[in-house]
Amino acid sequence: MTPAQWEALLYDWHNAHRLRRQRDDTAYWTRLTEPHDSVLVLGAGTGRVAGALARSAERRVTAVDLSRERLARIPRTPGLHPVCGDMRRLPLQGLHSAAVIPYSTLQLLLTPEDRERALRETARVLAPDGSVHIDVSESFDSRSETDWQLSLAEPCPEAGGPVEEWERSRPHADHVAIEKQFRRAGRVLTEVTERWVYHRALDLAEVLARTGFELLGIDRGYGRDSSPHRLVYHARRRH
Ligand SMILES: C[S@@+](CC[C@H](N)C(=O)[O-])C[C@H]1O[C@@H](n2cnc3c(N)ncnc32)[C@H](O)[C@@H]1O
C-alpha cells in the first residue's frame, strides 16, 4: 500500500469515528440540492457527500477531487461520476445546476489567486442562475500552537488493528498547518500536513462578487446546533 492509499483509507477511518459524534452534513446537502438534477461536488474525497447526493435521487452527480487514491474509494453508485482533476482547472464542460464545496475544502487552496481561479471555473461550468454552496469553518482562525498530541485512537480492521492519530498545529499569518501522523503498533503508517486558510483571510464575499456570483446569504448551515464555527455561503451565478 502506498502512503497516499494509506492516507485515503485513514481519512475514511477518521471520519467514521469523528463525524459520527459531531454532525450530519450529508443530510443537509441532500436537502439543499433536492431540486437540482445535475450537481457538482468539488473536493469530493472518498465520496462521503457525493455518494449521499447520488443515492438520494435519480440525477447526475459529478465528484471532482485531486486525489486518485481518495476517488478510488468512492462506492460505485448509479448517477455518480468521479473525475480526477483540479478545481482550479476543471476538466469539465457542461452546465451543472448546483455546485457544492463541502467540508472546508476551499480553505485548502492557499492563495487568493487559487481560490479565485477555482470559483471562476465553478462559474464557467454552472448554468445561468446555477448556485454554489461553500462550507467553511471559522475554527482554524483560533487554533493555537500545540506539540504532538493524541487526537484519536480506534480500531481499524482495514489496517489490521488499532490505529492512533497524532497531530500538532503551527499557526501562520493566514493559515494553520496541522501535521498528522497515523501510527499502528508504534510504527508510522503515513503522515500528512494539512494547511487550512483562516476564514478571516478568505474575503469570500468579495471573491464571489469578483468571480461572477451574486451572494444570496451566509448561514450556519448544518452546524447550527452542533458546530457553531460552520458557515455556508450561498451564491448564484450572474447572467
Ligand atoms: C476536507 S476534504 C473533503 C472530502 C469530502 N468532500 C468529505 O466531505 O469528506 C477536501 C478534499 O479536497 C481535495 N482537494 C484539495 N485541493 C483540491 C483541488 N485543488 N482540486 C480538487 N480537489 C482538491 C482533497 O484531495 C480532499 O479530498
Side-chain angles (χ1 to χ4, degrees):
M1 184 120 68
T2 66
Q5 285 170 325
W6 273 120
E7 192 277 330
L9 185 162
L10 293 165
Y11 179 75
D12 280 343
W13 166 82
H14 169 101
N15 282 336
H17 294 286
R18 270 292 159 79
L19 295 188
R20 191 189 55 209
R21 290 193 293 269
Q22 281 183 7
R23 54 183 166 254
D24 190 358
D25 56 343
T26 54
Y28 171 82
W29 294 120
T30 300
R31 248 191 339 270
L32 189 85
T33 59
E34 225 161 48
H36 300 286
D37 57 7
S38 172
V39 181
L40 188 56
V41 180
L42 299 173
T46 56
R48 205 176 56 80
V49 172
L53 298 189
R55 283 190 298 275
S56 70
E58 233 179 81
R59 55 178 167 183
R60 187 176 178 87
V61 176
T62 305
V64 177
D65 203 278
L66 259 187
S67 163
R68 206 169 289 286
E69 290 77 11
R70 285 195 179 188
L71 286 176
R73 295 181 63 83
I74 288 193
R76 282 166 186 265
T77 307
L80 179 56
H81 302 273
V83 174
C84 189
D86 191 324
M87 58 196 285
R88 294 165 297 181
R89 282 179 299 277
L90 286 172
L92 302 173
Q93 302 297 332
L95 298 178
H96 303 78
S97 53
V100 170
I101 310 182
Y103 209 22
S104 316
T105 295
L106 196 73
Q107 288 169 281
L108 290 170
L109 301 186
L110 292 181
T111 67
E113 293 76 22
D114 282 345
R115 296 188 291 276
E116 199 161 318
R117 236 173 255 143
L119 290 173
R120 277 192 204 288
E121 279 291 87
T122 306
R124 180 178 66 78
V125 299
L126 276 176
D129 284 337
S131 58
V132 64
H133 308 273
I134 309 171
D135 172 13
V136 293
S137 172
E138 294 178 304
S139 68
F140 304 115
D141 297 39
S142 53
R143 276 276 193 138
S144 48
E145 178 152 351
T146 61
D147 203 349
W148 285 109
Q149 55 193 28
L150 180 65
S151 54
L152 187 65
E154 293 286 350
C156 179
E158 277 188 273
V163 169
E164 292 179 352
E165 180 180 328
W166 290 75
E167 62 176 47
R168 68 174 173 187
S169 304
R170 295 272 179 278
H172 295 271
D174 62 353
H175 73 277
V176 58
I178 303 176
E179 289 172 79
K180 293 187 173 194
Q181 279 191 353
F182 297 91
R183 305 179 190 170
R184 180 163 57 82
R187 189 171 77 86
V188 176
L189 296 170
T190 191
E191 44 197 339
V192 290
T193 301
E194 297 174 347
R195 293 180 186 277
W196 300 96
V197 175
Y198 303 135
H199 172 256
R200 64 170 181 271
L202 291 176
D203 284 333
L204 198 43
E206 288 76 11
V207 178
L208 281 164
R210 274 203 302 279
T211 52
F213 288 99
E214 174 194 357
L215 183 62
L216 300 175
I218 306 169
D219 58 40
R220 294 277 164 194
Y222 57 92
R224 204 164 283 122
D225 302 320
S226 53
S227 308
H229 56 268
R230 283 279 147 204
L231 287 173
V232 182
Y233 285 67
H234 307 274
R236 182 168 51 205
R237 198 195 121 176
R238 283 197 304 264
H239 288 282

